[in-house]
Amino acid sequence: MTDGNGTGLRAGRQLSLGAFLLESGHHIAAWRDPASPRAAGLDFRHYVRAAKAAEAAKFDLVFLADSASIRGFDSPSFPFEERGVRLEPLTLLSALAAVTERIGLVGTASTTYNDPFNIARRFASLDLLSGGRAGWNLVTSSNESDPGNFGQHGPVPHAERYRRAAEFAEVVDGLWGSLDASALRYDKASGVLFDKEGLHPLHHEGHYFNVRGPLNVPPSPQGRPVLVQAGSSDDGRETAARTAEAVFVAYQSFSEARDYYGDVKGRLGKYGRHPDELKILPGVFPVVGRTEAEAREKFESLQNLVDPVVGLGLLKTVAGGIDLSAYPLDGPLPEVPETNSGKSRQKLLLELARRENYSIRQLYLHIAGARGHWQLVGTAAEIADQLEYYFRNEAADGFNVMAPQLEWGLDDFIELVIPELRRRGLFRTEYGGRTLRDHLGLARPSGRRRFAPIAAGSSYSEAAAE
Amino acid sequence: MTDGNGTGLRAGRQLSLGAFLLESGHHIAAWRDPASPRAAGLDFRHYVRAAKAAEAAKFDLVFLADSASIRGFDSPSFPFEERGVRLEPLTLLSALAAVTERIGLVGTASTTYNDPFNIARRFASLDLLSGGRAGWNLVTSSNESDPGNFGQHGPVPHAERYRRAAEFAEVVDGLWGSLDASALRYDKASGVLFDKEGLHPLHHEGHYFNVRGPLNVPPSPQGRPVLVQAGSSDDGRETAARTAEAVFVAYQSFSEARDYYGDVKGRLGKYGRHPDELKILPGVFPVVGRTEAEAREKFESLQNLVDPVVGLGLLKTVAGGIDLSAYPLDGPLPEVPETNSGKSRQKLLLELARRENYSIRQLYLHIAGARGHWQLVGTAAEIADQLEYYFRNEAADGFNVMAPQLEWGLDDFIELVIPELRRRGLFRTEYGGRTLRDHLGLARPSGRRRFAPIAAGSSYSEAAAE
């Protein structure tokens, strides 16, 4: 093993891999691929196949997103896209727990439209029945479609969501530490089942929640579920530094990813945490071929399935709400008035279109496929080069693999890229342990409450102090 | 097949059987039985074994109770009893769905401390991934331990709970009918995924809930999950007659059971429902032996494990709060002042104790074992006689079998009683269909909203009209 050109590699350090299982796959048109099963997001066998393939390849975890509504059913492109019609993630993960043995099971659940006792109990139950393989991806819900299903007229404002999330995480983590395994004696001879000393009611009285506890599920072999987060705003970074054990982030360039990595790792110290206590896993959308041409061909086969209505719908967002459907698809981008908001990514995209002389179709295809994620199209060696570079240069501890399509797309990654990573000494050939914490290299938490107080000087602390 | 001595048997009518899986079993001391696994309520393999045994025996369903707290941890008998420390039922059922193929999966979830969109989505997901085998046992929560985990200072009052439950059921059922299977086109050639005609937002605006819908999970092969209830109060009966498809009830005598059966079946007409659209399944606690002596011996082996502290705790409730622990266990029951509340069962028990000259120990053992359920101790023929009598005489459509202990206790029932029921033509030898509705003989629901308006003249209607 070489030290590469970076500074971040300690001896034997290996990368972590998640398999993000999303309906037919992460390409926006994956559902139209001939190999994709019909209604993949509702097909348990489809997920079993993918989870077993990921486990055979020794991925650290499978990762499931959440959707508490049919998204955007008032948009013109509605009928042509997957819209969050899928199995509820914890239901699905619980079923997957029964047909897998080692792989971690990370599910997304929102703090905005749930209750902390219920969430603590469900993840603790999954953790216990899977033998210590559960993780909770804590998110807040900001989309426009969910609130109506929970009695709300619109999304909860950002600061409010984060304040609630911080207290929610506090309560859940407190509940996970509220019943010692040693409290459960089950001594048949004496008839003593409980030892009351091991029960630690929380008596939490907060702004959003009053929760007595203790939880009625004891710790699993990994102590408690792994706490995963996804936020990249300042509030999100601070929350992650204080409480998360893994973060899933979406970045398109090395410099963005390294900035994020350095920033967030740098925030851990003030909470008394070591940088290794938080694993940073950017999403990557890999299209792999045995040759570069084959990879491009595979990518094109998906790109060709993007319906113009879907592409134009995406462009409308990018172009500040302007409807481009009246212009010729293969003609140039018309003049689009500048928006005055801080939508820097949108501005960059429009500049790119001008510079590259993109047609309308070319521009929407540029953004449509991977839906804004880091896209790698190439051979296994080329893709492994990129992953290694990020990993060795303090931009990633591993990756959440967002296969463009979940049959051949995931299989390609497993058959071609994983062996290449192994040749480089970057990825395991066997699981070293049985729990998700074992796979990620995270310690079993000790103590009943883990989170340090919120540090001063962030909008998060201001929101929390309100 | 004979017509027996009753009037309720139509040609070929067979009884339904549920296997109620509760921790080590339903005897209060089952956890101390040498054959019970340690911490059975937390042991996934224990539940897999029991569910597979029940499926091999062609039970209609497995049934799981819920507990959203550690119960009664301030009571003196606390350390000596199972107290609801167990896996969350929907998590567990989802995992069981992956390792079974035919048996129905009925889980309890409370309308008091949940949200209807989340509950609708979880059961619909379980229903879909199990191929149409899910059932929801709708309950309200009245115990003293749960409220503190959900920000409440005490139980929600009865009428309030039922009013919320009625609206909750309405919303859940509405959501289950809000996305037609035909809405999901997934037409790869044309690129059309959704047909908007098949989306039916609810736009429910009620007293407790505002829910837009539609649900983001389509119907399973059985249309929607089976709606099960458990209430026996007047409100509970009326709710069942209006909305339930199966009820689980606890009665100790034939006359009680038949009265309930006649009463509830008689209420269906006013909601435009046929009596067969609701299956009434009393709980039964069977202790089976090859001889009567063997059955008694098995029962005694469990009774001997009841700790006096646990028995006295139960008696305290029965005796109007009076602590009997200062009196000799094997001496007579002291004078207990009459309580003026309508606690008729408690009065009957005290009268029984006097009549039979029960010692304190004998009295608590009388009530401890089956925790107030219908207890049958005998040979397979004797037990089958009882079940058949109830079934043929309009007291039951089947039974929820509450095995005293979930290894030998459930196996005894399967090995001895089931064959006896089959000899009498009362129970299937093979599943006739694949869904829970198939097993129970319930039609696949049609239409989007099923519940008739609440009928006038019950406390339930008064509460709902408030």
Side-chain angles (χ1 to χ4, degrees):
Chain A
M1 191 187 307
T2 73
D3 191 37
N5 48 4
T7 58
L9 189 64
R10 288 178 298 288
R13 179 172 168 253
Q14 294 200 316
L15 53 79
S16 290
L17 291 179
F20 186 165
L21 308 184
L22 182 76
E23 304 191 11
S24 313
H26 288 268
H27 191 282
I28 201 167
W31 71 273
R32 295 182 70 184
D33 186 277
S36 295
R38 188 175 180 283
L42 301 163
D43 184 342
F44 180 50
R45 288 163 307 178
H46 165 72
Y47 285 104
V48 170
R49 195 210 75 84
K52 286 190 168 178
E55 183 171 67
K58 319 300 176 195
F59 274 66
D60 296 64
L61 56 95
V62 294
F63 181 96
L64 295 182
D66 193 22
S67 165
S69 61
I70 299 183
R71 300 278 166 92
F73 64 88
D74 290 328
S75 85
S77 65
F78 173 79
F80 307 99
E81 285 184 79
E82 289 183 324
R83 292 291 188 176
V85 173
R86 56 173 104 113
L87 296 165
E88 192 274 333
L90 271 172
T91 309
L92 176 52
L93 283 182
S94 304
L96 290 176
V99 294
T100 54
E101 289 179 5
R102 294 290 192 99
I103 197 164
L105 307 161
V106 178
T108 302
S110 169
T111 56
T112 311
Y113 304 117
N114 276 297
D115 176 280
F117 192 88
N118 288 336
I119 288 294
R121 187 156 74 110
R122 293 179 68 194
F123 277 99
S125 296
L126 174 63
D127 204 27
L128 202 59
L129 78 74
S130 66
R133 297 190 281 135
W136 171 33
N137 181 38
L138 179 165
V139 299
T140 67
S141 301
S142 60
N143 76 75
E144 298 282 339
S145 306
D146 293 0
N149 291 333
F150 300 92
Q152 307 284 329
H153 292 291
V156 179
H158 183 91
E160 168 92 1
R161 286 203 321 274
Y162 271 82
R163 190 158 71 145
R164 184 181 158 103
E167 188 182 330
F168 197 115
E170 198 92 49
V171 172
V172 168
D173 194 70
L175 287 169
W176 286 342
S178 67
L179 176 64
D180 297 346
S182 64
L184 302 176
R185 296 260 308 270
Y186 289 96
D187 184 345
K188 292 181 183 182
S190 70
V192 174
L193 196 158
F194 286 104
D195 178 356
K196 284 185 87 162
E197 294 300 303
L199 270 61
H200 310 287
L202 280 189
H203 299 300
H204 172 88
E205 297 191 5
H207 182 83
Y208 295 97
F209 309 111
N210 293 325
V211 181
R212 187 200 58 225
L215 192 64
N216 57 342
V217 183
S220 82
Q222 71 170 346
R224 35 189 108 169
V226 173
L227 190 52
V228 182
Q229 287 172 22
S232 57
S233 67
D234 190 66
D235 288 351
R237 291 169 187 221
E238 199 68 18
T239 309
R242 180 168 161 257
T243 64
E245 300 176 295
V247 286
F248 166 51
V249 284
Y251 285 111
Q252 291 181 311
S253 75
F254 175 73
S255 64
E256 280 179 310
R258 193 176 52 182
D259 288 352
Y260 178 88
Y261 190 97
D263 177 42
V264 172
K265 293 267 182 177
R267 294 181 191 225
L268 269 80
K270 65 174 178 267
Y271 297 110
R273 304 180 70 198
H274 186 277
D276 285 348
E277 293 177 41
L278 174 68
K279 306 299 175 186
I280 296 183
L281 309 175
V284 59
F285 174 98
V287 187
V288 197
R290 281 166 210 281
T291 61
E292 218 183 298
E294 190 188 291
R296 299 248 148 249
E297 213 170 275
K298 285 178 179 173
F299 188 50
E300 285 311 313
S301 80
L302 288 170
Q303 292 285 78
N304 289 337
L305 297 172
V306 178
D307 192 288
V309 182
V310 174
L312 290 168
L314 281 165
L315 271 196
K316 193 171 167 182
T317 313
V318 171
I322 292 172
D323 190 348
L324 300 172
S325 58
Y327 300 89
L329 274 185
D330 296 308
L333 195 69
E335 278 306 313
V336 171
E338 285 220 10
T339 55
N340 57 3
S341 67
K343 292 173 181 171
S344 56
R345 175 159 295 160
Q346 299 177 1
K347 203 175 163 195
L348 287 172
L349 272 168
L350 295 175
E351 283 169 10
L352 173 81
R354 304 262 170 253
R355 202 166 57 239
E356 302 281 337
N357 260 329
Y358 276 169
S359 68
I360 289 179
R361 191 196 304 272
Q362 284 169 320
L363 182 61
Y364 76 61
L365 284 176
H366 181 79
I367 56 173
R371 302 183 234 210
H373 283 276
W374 181 37
Q375 186 173 293
L376 293 175
V377 182
T379 64
E382 287 165 345
I383 289 172
D385 283 350
Q386 289 286 319
L387 302 184
E388 182 170 6
Y389 188 77
Y390 275 56
F391 179 64
R392 290 189 192 271
N393 291 284
E394 304 197 322
D397 296 313
F399 302 93
N400 205 1
V401 177
M402 304 167 69
Q405 196 274 349
L406 275 176
E407 278 75 16
W408 58 261
L410 180 61
D411 290 349
D412 283 351
F413 187 89
I414 289 171
E415 284 164 27
L416 302 172
V417 181
I418 296 260
E420 183 64 33
L421 294 172
R422 286 187 178 135
R423 271 192 288 279
R424 301 174 187 208
L426 293 172
F427 192 62
R428 70 174 69 85
T429 53
E430 256 314 326
Y431 288 114
R434 302 205 73 92
T435 70
L436 177 55
R437 285 181 187 280
D438 291 340
H439 308 337
L440 291 170
L442 292 167
R444 193 181 193 284
S446 58
R448 291 211 291 281
R449 286 164 185 266
R450 290 185 296 172
F451 303 154
I454 296 169
S458 69
S459 68
Y460 171 55
S461 71
E462 283 153 30
E466 262 165 32
Chain B
M1 192 188 305
T2 72
D3 191 35
N5 48 3
T7 56
L9 188 66
R10 288 179 298 288
R13 179 171 169 254
Q14 293 199 317
L15 52 79
S16 289
L17 291 180
F20 185 165
L21 308 184
L22 182 75
E23 304 191 13
S24 313
H26 288 267
H27 191 281
I28 201 166
W31 71 273
R32 296 182 69 184
D33 186 277
S36 295
R38 188 174 179 283
L42 301 163
D43 184 343
F44 180 49
R45 289 164 307 178
H46 165 72
Y47 285 103
V48 171
R49 194 210 76 85
K52 286 190 168 179
E55 182 170 67
K58 319 300 175 194
F59 275 66
D60 295 63
L61 56 95
V62 293
F63 181 97
L64 295 182
D66 193 21
S67 165
S69 61
I70 300 182
R71 300 279 165 92
F73 64 86
D74 290 328
S75 84
S77 66
F78 174 78
F80 307 100
E81 284 184 78
E82 288 182 327
R83 293 291 188 175
V85 173
R86 56 174 104 112
L87 296 165
E88 192 274 332
L90 272 173
T91 309
L92 176 52
L93 283 182
S94 304
L96 290 176
V99 294
T100 55
E101 290 179 4
R102 295 290 193 100
I103 198 163
L105 306 161
V106 179
T108 302
S110 169
T111 56
T112 311
Y113 304 117
N114 277 297
D115 177 279
F117 193 88
N118 288 335
I119 288 293
R121 186 155 76 109
R122 294 178 67 195
F123 277 99
S125 295
L126 175 63
D127 204 27
L128 201 59
L129 80 75
S130 66
R133 298 190 281 136
W136 172 32
N137 181 37
L138 179 166
V139 298
T140 68
S141 301
S142 60
N143 75 75
E144 298 282 339
S145 306
D146 293 0
N149 291 333
F150 300 92
Q152 307 285 328
H153 291 291
V156 179
H158 184 91
E160 169 94 1
R161 286 203 320 274
Y162 271 81
R163 190 158 72 145
R164 184 180 158 102
E167 189 182 332
F168 197 116
E170 198 92 48
V171 172
V172 169
D173 193 70
L175 287 169
W176 286 343
S178 67
L179 177 64
D180 297 345
S182 64
L184 302 176
R185 297 259 309 269
Y186 289 96
D187 183 346
K188 292 181 183 181
S190 69
V192 173
L193 198 158
F194 286 104
D195 178 355
K196 284 185 86 162
E197 295 300 304
L199 271 61
H200 310 286
L202 279 190
H203 298 300
H204 172 88
E205 297 191 3
H207 182 83
Y208 295 97
F209 309 111
N210 294 325
V211 181
R212 187 200 57 225
L215 193 63
N216 57 343
V217 184
S220 82
Q222 71 171 346
R224 35 189 106 170
V226 173
L227 190 52
V228 182
Q229 288 173 20
S232 57
S233 67
D234 189 65
D235 287 351
R237 291 170 186 219
E238 198 69 17
T239 308
R242 180 168 161 258
T243 65
E245 301 176 293
V247 285
F248 166 52
V249 284
Y251 284 112
Q252 289 182 312
S253 75
F254 173 74
S255 64
E256 279 179 310
R258 192 175 53 181
D259 287 352
Y260 178 88
Y261 189 97
D263 177 42
V264 172
K265 293 267 182 176
R267 294 180 192 226
L268 270 80
K270 64 174 177 269
Y271 296 110
R273 304 179 71 199
H274 187 277
D276 285 349
E277 293 177 42
L278 174 67
K279 306 298 175 185
I280 296 182
L281 309 175
V284 58
F285 174 98
V287 188
V288 197
R290 280 167 211 281
T291 62
E292 218 182 296
E294 191 188 291
R296 301 245 145 249
E297 215 169 274
K298 286 178 176 173
F299 188 51
E300 285 312 312
S301 79
L302 288 169
Q303 294 284 76
N304 289 337
L305 298 172
V306 178
D307 192 289
V309 181
V310 173
L312 290 167
L314 282 166
L315 271 196
K316 193 171 168 183
T317 314
V318 171
I322 292 171
D323 189 349
L324 301 172
S325 59
Y327 299 89
L329 274 186
D330 295 306
L333 195 70
E335 277 307 312
V336 171
E338 286 221 11
T339 55
N340 56 2
S341 66
K343 293 174 181 169
S344 55
R345 176 160 294 161
Q346 298 178 0
K347 200 174 164 196
L348 287 172
L349 271 169
L350 295 175
E351 282 168 10
L352 173 82
R354 304 260 170 255
R355 202 166 57 238
E356 302 280 335
N357 258 330
Y358 276 168
S359 68
I360 288 178
R361 189 196 305 271
Q362 283 170 320
L363 182 61
Y364 77 60
L365 284 176
H366 180 78
I367 56 174
R371 302 185 234 209
H373 283 275
W374 180 38
Q375 184 173 296
L376 292 176
V377 182
T379 63
E382 286 165 345
I383 289 172
D385 283 349
Q386 289 285 320
L387 301 184
E388 182 170 7
Y389 187 76
Y390 273 57
F391 179 64
R392 290 188 191 271
N393 291 283
E394 303 197 321
D397 296 313
F399 302 93
N400 206 1
V401 177
M402 304 167 71
Q405 197 274 349
L406 275 176
E407 279 74 16
W408 58 261
L410 181 60
D411 290 350
D412 284 350
F413 187 88
I414 288 171
E415 285 164 27
L416 302 172
V417 180
I418 296 261
E420 183 65 34
L421 294 172
R422 287 187 177 135
R423 271 193 288 279
R424 299 173 189 208
L426 293 172
F427 192 63
R428 69 175 67 87
T429 53
E430 255 315 324
Y431 287 114
R434 302 205 73 91
T435 71
L436 177 53
R437 285 181 188 280
D438 291 340
H439 308 338
L440 291 171
L442 292 167
R444 192 181 195 284
S446 59
R448 292 212 290 280
R449 286 164 184 265
R450 290 185 295 172
F451 303 155
I454 296 168
S458 69
S459 67
Y460 172 53
S461 71
E462 284 154 28
E466 262 166 31

